[in-house]
Amino acid sequence: MDSEKGDKSADVNQSTVDVKPKKKSGGKKEKPANANKPTANASSNKGKKKETGLGLTNTKDGNFGEWYSEVVVNGEMIEYYEISGCYILRPWTMSIWEMMQTYFDAEIKKMKIKTCYFPLFVSNTVLQKEKDHIEGFAPEVAWVTRSGDSDLEVPIAIRPTSETVMYPYFSKWIRGHRDLPLKLNQWCNVVRWEFSNPTPFIRSREFLWQEGHTAFATKEEADTEVLEILELYRRLYEEYLAVPVVKGKKSEMEKFAGGLYTTSVEAFIPNTGRGVQGATSHCLGQNFAKMFEINFEDEKGEKNMVWQNSWAYSTRTIGVMVMVHGDDKGLVIPPKVAAVQVIVIHVPFKEIDVDKLKNAVQETVKTLCELGIRAEADIRENYSPGWKWSHWEQKGVPLRIDIGPRDIANNQVCVVRRDTGEKINLPMAELGKVKEMLDDVQQNLFNVAKQKRDACVQVTKTWDEFIQALGQKKLILAPWCDEEEVEKEVKLKTKGETGAAKTLCSPFEQPELPEGTLCFASGKPAKKWTYWGRSY
Amino acid sequence: MDSEKGDKSADVNQSTVDVKPKKKSGGKKEKPANANKPTANASSNKGKKKETGLGLTNTKDGNFGEWYSEVVVNGEMIEYYEISGCYILRPWTMSIWEMMQTYFDAEIKKMKIKTCYFPLFVSNTVLQKEKDHIEGFAPEVAWVTRSGDSDLEVPIAIRPTSETVMYPYFSKWIRGHRDLPLKLNQWCNVVRWEFSNPTPFIRSREFLWQEGHTAFATKEEADTEVLEILELYRRLYEEYLAVPVVKGKKSEMEKFAGGLYTTSVEAFIPNTGRGVQGATSHCLGQNFAKMFEINFEDEKGEKNMVWQNSWAYSTRTIGVMVMVHGDDKGLVIPPKVAAVQVIVIHVPFKEIDVDKLKNAVQETVKTLCELGIRAEADIRENYSPGWKWSHWEQKGVPLRIDIGPRDIANNQVCVVRRDTGEKINLPMAELGKVKEMLDDVQQNLFNVAKQKRDACVQVTKTWDEFIQALGQKKLILAPWCDEEEVEKEVKLKTKGETGAAKTLCSPFEQPELPEGTLCFASGKPAKKWTYWGRSY
């Protein structure tokens, strides 16, 4: 139920990469980082870029934390909020969130999963029901104790996740086998009051997510759904966000608190050498069913407990996308989730007829929109082309089309790819090719990200190799004995300034494990290949 | 910003109609009201209805409060939650909410209003900024004071509405006239910890809504948008929920706390004689701009304050729909927002070939779906037709199609209207007419509701007429001097067990007000016609 859960059971003292706002938004008088608007007008449009003071001050390789913070603020995705760990999600973020939601919601509706909405609040009694579960969440639960000037009779918790909110009602609604399966999903906010290293999207005190909760008569049905949902999450990352992920199973230590087993899609950030749990699909087994007495009468009239799943992805997905694709010019948004796929700009030169250029821009946008492309014009006269180039680069728009006097003369436009910087002269009659170009950008973003990720994978078979690879920020694939004590020991031994190493997942696609292979850490016989690394 | 605000500034001691759950959902062992499933099977399908124990135990005219509670629970819209004033919104509710959202969100996106998401939490300092505003909301603000076992340094409020959450950032983002208009909307939950008479949808401690927040350079632009949004709200009620509403302006006493003026759409519940504020569109003027220093430099380089609006509709809309259309058989859902517009049932009789009937049902559903109608089959064999009739009536599905042996023989189906109970034999070749029938149900629901509402309108010109009409649960239209003191006095004088009368709105469509007309309450010269009544 928890894209961020794995990390929480980890050593809370680990220090992660420092991702702090360059400028806090406390003072209203303070200008935002992107408020440096040029005073230049369109009549002098050359060489403005350097004068504007636009562009990032940090680099992705130089100082990743500062870079990330600058990218999400300058790209107008995030505004830092006065309460630490809470962030304002601006329209540039929400359009991505909505596009993902449209895809995912339609897919789960095909699976006959229905939308519901359960309350934000949960009583202490219910929250405490499943012991392992509450142990995992208790330290970060926010409590409402007062309304107006009056103390509440008993404090009320804000949901950190909704298992305990929902399952008393599952118990009420499920009587017989005909009430099964029960398949619900809600889109909502949840609160986890973390104190360590808040990071926009990746680790925030409030975040948006969907949480699916389902109950079945048999374990087989539950198992099947866990993987169906995980596949949707893989597609979300790979086909929409162009981020390669590994599907696998979490270790006992890293699984969802109170569940039977947890599957996840795991992404990797090469620059920091950290894994990031992308989304999780849990089989809860019958643990919650037992605590909440969710029983049904089967066909033979016998009483049985249901099998349950829960699964979620959150706004964290967007942070992973930014970290993977962003570059020293700013955001890079994959076309499939970009609110603006093509920005069209007029580039005036000397005594050119500006209206003619602007008309050509408008015509181009019209044609592209008719082709089903999300295109917009930027024909503002108070910003120089240089300023606009930098602005839209920072916002990560996949393609830019420049139209200048020479383009008009040649009956063409100049298309600039955000991902490669490549410039292509395209005859106006061939604007239909923009669609293919967008597909190509989408595919290229995925390919490049996958190459980078794959280049980080390091197979290690001994402790020394493991430590060396960890130091080199690798995504480590190692044979493991699958014992909890050993994972604990690895964590303890690697605990340091940049955080302990832990298991990320055991991939479903297992390389061959020759008989006699030993665990890199314990020297005992290895049972499986597992990814290890530091993580968000 | 507040569909429920008007009421709050009203006398909190007023007792509204008692709307309590018949059965509280505290104990898990307790059966839901709709758990009485028949043991009968399809082979004996006649006269089952009475045996099932299904159907409502309360009537709309007999005991409205109990009836409402029973209807929303039995119709599977609401489940009562263990925390008082919080309700579980079940899929049957959420599908209506999503359909309204699809309509409204597309409309405001056409107006270039963009989606954002601001945090759930707000600091006390910011919340206090606009004095009138906080006075209106302070008594019902929920406060988080603890996380895990630790006390927070300072308590943090949960948003009752987001003016104070957002506007410090409006101040930051808006610099010059080119940053205007700024037009944002968010879909979210808000919390108002009320202690009086929680009622599903109508008055709950947490509810879902959209809140739009916009800033303009001129009052004219703000004024225009207020009415554009109000028109969308009217359409939402009248075209989607088939509920007639009056557009008008709230009195000074009933306007949004801290705003300049408030417009609203007002519905009316004939059975209880109460008005209900359906949705509000506020012009905030420059009050918040002043407090939050939201200034911009205009074309001449001069500093100006922005003009702001905020507007919202909430899940309350659904409660109004239930109250207006529901009848003694249960919910009545208007076709435009019904998740299932047509339910198709097989009605076996004696030795009939059941498979043949079920095939005909499936074929009918297929044809209807291909016509773009939301149709579903109910061919469960473990429920009798009688049980199904009652079940789908309670759920308010607009049309039911029964298919029995005689229908097969005659190559027809039997269509039953939920609104009128009318049964129509329709040749199978003419299933396309179902679309017109749905349109007709939609229109008829609106017409009937309007007739009933209009029949309640009573023009009163004197205090005695007013009191008499109030006792007769009328929607009172009276000439008024528009003085706050007079409204206060009317409230005081009508305060009683069933609640005080107050202004609902001054309708934009004003009847003629002959010169010399006097205020019904003060005897001073009347300035306008105003609707008065008790309200939710």
Side-chain angles (χ1 to χ4, degrees), chain A residues 5-27:
Chain A
K5 188 73 220 97
D7 325 48
K8 246 76 63 41
S9 53
D11 178 7
V12 292
N13 294 318
Q14 75 172 49
S15 81
T16 55
V17 173
D18 183 22
V19 179
K20 293 271 167 58
K22 227 186 100 197
K23 298 177 181 178
K24 284 262 183 179
S25 63

Short mmCIF file of all heavy atoms in Angstrom, two decimals, chain A residues 5-27:
data_model
loop_
_atom_site.label_atom_id
_atom_site.label_comp_id
_atom_site.label_asym_id
_atom_site.label_seq_id
_atom_site.Cartn_x
_atom_site.Cartn_y
_atom_site.Cartn_z
N LYS A 5 7.22 2.65 1.47
CA LYS A 5 7.32 1.90 2.71
C LYS A 5 8.67 1.28 2.95
O LYS A 5 9.23 1.35 4.04
CB LYS A 5 6.26 0.79 2.73
CG LYS A 5 6.15 0.06 4.07
CD LYS A 5 5.49 0.94 5.10
CE LYS A 5 6.14 0.80 6.46
NZ LYS A 5 7.10 1.83 6.72
N GLY A 6 9.21 0.62 1.93
CA GLY A 6 10.45 -0.10 2.11
C GLY A 6 11.47 0.73 2.85
O GLY A 6 12.08 0.27 3.81
N ASP A 7 11.62 1.95 2.44
CA ASP A 7 12.62 2.84 3.00
C ASP A 7 12.43 3.08 4.47
O ASP A 7 13.36 3.30 5.21
CB ASP A 7 12.55 4.19 2.30
CG ASP A 7 12.20 4.01 0.86
OD1 ASP A 7 11.24 3.28 0.56
OD2 ASP A 7 12.89 4.57 0.05
N LYS A 8 11.16 3.09 4.85
CA LYS A 8 10.87 3.46 6.23
C LYS A 8 11.36 2.43 7.22
O LYS A 8 11.78 2.77 8.29
CB LYS A 8 9.38 3.68 6.41
CG LYS A 8 9.03 5.09 6.73
CD LYS A 8 9.12 5.94 5.46
CE LYS A 8 8.14 5.51 4.44
NZ LYS A 8 6.83 5.19 4.98
N SER A 9 11.30 1.18 6.84
CA SER A 9 11.75 0.16 7.76
C SER A 9 13.29 0.14 7.79
O SER A 9 13.90 -0.50 8.60
CB SER A 9 11.19 -1.20 7.36
OG SER A 9 11.49 -1.44 6.01
N ALA A 10 13.87 0.90 6.89
CA ALA A 10 15.33 0.98 6.85
C ALA A 10 15.83 1.89 7.96
O ALA A 10 15.07 2.53 8.66
CB ALA A 10 15.78 1.50 5.50
N ASP A 11 17.13 1.95 8.05
CA ASP A 11 17.78 2.77 9.06
C ASP A 11 17.39 4.24 8.90
O ASP A 11 17.71 4.86 7.90
CB ASP A 11 19.29 2.61 8.90
CG ASP A 11 20.07 3.45 9.88
OD1 ASP A 11 19.43 4.04 10.77
OD2 ASP A 11 21.29 3.51 9.74
N VAL A 12 16.71 4.78 9.87
CA VAL A 12 16.25 6.16 9.70
C VAL A 12 17.39 7.15 9.85
O VAL A 12 17.24 8.32 9.54
CB VAL A 12 15.13 6.53 10.72
CG1 VAL A 12 13.88 5.75 10.40
CG2 VAL A 12 15.58 6.33 12.14
N ASN A 13 18.52 6.67 10.35
CA ASN A 13 19.64 7.59 10.51
C ASN A 13 20.43 7.80 9.23
O ASN A 13 21.28 8.65 9.15
CB ASN A 13 20.59 7.08 11.60
CG ASN A 13 19.90 7.11 12.94
OD1 ASN A 13 19.20 8.06 13.26
ND2 ASN A 13 20.06 6.05 13.71
N GLN A 14 20.12 6.99 8.26
CA GLN A 14 20.88 7.15 7.02
C GLN A 14 20.67 8.56 6.48
O GLN A 14 19.58 9.11 6.54
CB GLN A 14 20.42 6.13 5.99
CG GLN A 14 19.08 6.46 5.38
CD GLN A 14 18.77 5.53 4.24
OE1 GLN A 14 18.88 4.33 4.35
NE2 GLN A 14 18.39 6.09 3.12
N SER A 15 21.73 9.14 6.00
CA SER A 15 21.54 10.46 5.40
C SER A 15 21.45 10.28 3.89
O SER A 15 22.30 9.65 3.28
CB SER A 15 22.69 11.39 5.77
OG SER A 15 23.78 11.15 4.94
N THR A 16 20.40 10.76 3.31
CA THR A 16 20.26 10.63 1.86
C THR A 16 20.85 11.87 1.21
O THR A 16 21.26 12.81 1.88
CB THR A 16 18.78 10.49 1.47
OG1 THR A 16 18.08 11.59 2.01
CG2 THR A 16 18.20 9.20 2.01
N VAL A 17 20.90 11.83 -0.09
CA VAL A 17 21.42 12.99 -0.82
C VAL A 17 20.64 14.23 -0.41
O VAL A 17 19.43 14.21 -0.30
CB VAL A 17 21.27 12.76 -2.34
CG1 VAL A 17 21.64 14.02 -3.09
CG2 VAL A 17 22.13 11.60 -2.76
N ASP A 18 21.34 15.26 -0.18
CA ASP A 18 20.72 16.48 0.31
C ASP A 18 19.88 17.15 -0.78
O ASP A 18 20.41 17.64 -1.76
CB ASP A 18 21.82 17.43 0.78
CG ASP A 18 21.24 18.70 1.37
OD1 ASP A 18 20.08 18.67 1.80
OD2 ASP A 18 21.96 19.70 1.38
N VAL A 19 18.59 17.11 -0.61
CA VAL A 19 17.73 17.76 -1.59
C VAL A 19 16.92 18.84 -0.88
O VAL A 19 15.89 18.59 -0.31
CB VAL A 19 16.79 16.74 -2.26
CG1 VAL A 19 15.89 17.43 -3.26
CG2 VAL A 19 17.60 15.66 -2.96
N LYS A 20 17.45 20.00 -0.86
CA LYS A 20 16.81 21.11 -0.15
C LYS A 20 16.45 22.21 -1.14
O LYS A 20 17.13 22.38 -2.14
CB LYS A 20 17.78 21.67 0.90
CG LYS A 20 18.08 20.71 2.04
CD LYS A 20 17.08 20.87 3.19
CE LYS A 20 17.16 19.72 4.18
NZ LYS A 20 18.51 19.57 4.76
N PRO A 21 15.46 22.98 -0.81
CA PRO A 21 15.13 24.10 -1.71
C PRO A 21 16.27 25.10 -1.66
O PRO A 21 16.84 25.35 -0.61
CB PRO A 21 13.88 24.69 -1.08
CG PRO A 21 13.94 24.26 0.35
CD PRO A 21 14.63 22.94 0.38
N LYS A 22 16.60 25.61 -2.83
CA LYS A 22 17.63 26.63 -2.86
C LYS A 22 17.12 27.88 -2.16
O LYS A 22 17.81 28.54 -1.43
CB LYS A 22 18.00 26.96 -4.31
CG LYS A 22 19.50 26.99 -4.54
CD LYS A 22 19.82 27.45 -5.92
CE LYS A 22 20.21 28.90 -5.94
NZ LYS A 22 20.15 29.48 -7.27
N LYS A 23 15.89 28.19 -2.44
CA LYS A 23 15.27 29.34 -1.77
C LYS A 23 13.99 28.85 -1.13
O LYS A 23 13.15 28.27 -1.80
CB LYS A 23 14.94 30.43 -2.78
CG LYS A 23 16.14 30.99 -3.48
CD LYS A 23 15.69 32.01 -4.51
CE LYS A 23 16.90 32.57 -5.26
NZ LYS A 23 16.49 33.53 -6.29
N LYS A 24 13.84 29.11 0.11
CA LYS A 24 12.58 28.76 0.78
C LYS A 24 11.56 29.83 0.42
O LYS A 24 11.87 30.99 0.23
CB LYS A 24 12.79 28.72 2.29
CG LYS A 24 13.50 27.47 2.73
CD LYS A 24 12.50 26.45 3.24
CE LYS A 24 13.26 25.23 3.75
NZ LYS A 24 12.36 24.22 4.26
N SER A 25 10.33 29.40 0.38
CA SER A 25 9.29 30.32 -0.07
C SER A 25 8.61 31.03 1.08
O SER A 25 7.51 31.49 0.98
CB SER A 25 8.25 29.55 -0.86
OG SER A 25 7.64 28.60 -0.02
N GLY A 26 9.29 31.07 2.20
CA GLY A 26 8.67 31.67 3.39
C GLY A 26 8.24 33.11 3.17
O GLY A 26 7.09 33.47 3.34
N GLY A 27 9.16 33.93 2.76
CA GLY A 27 8.86 35.36 2.63
C GLY A 27 8.12 35.65 1.34
O GLY A 27 8.53 35.21 0.29
#
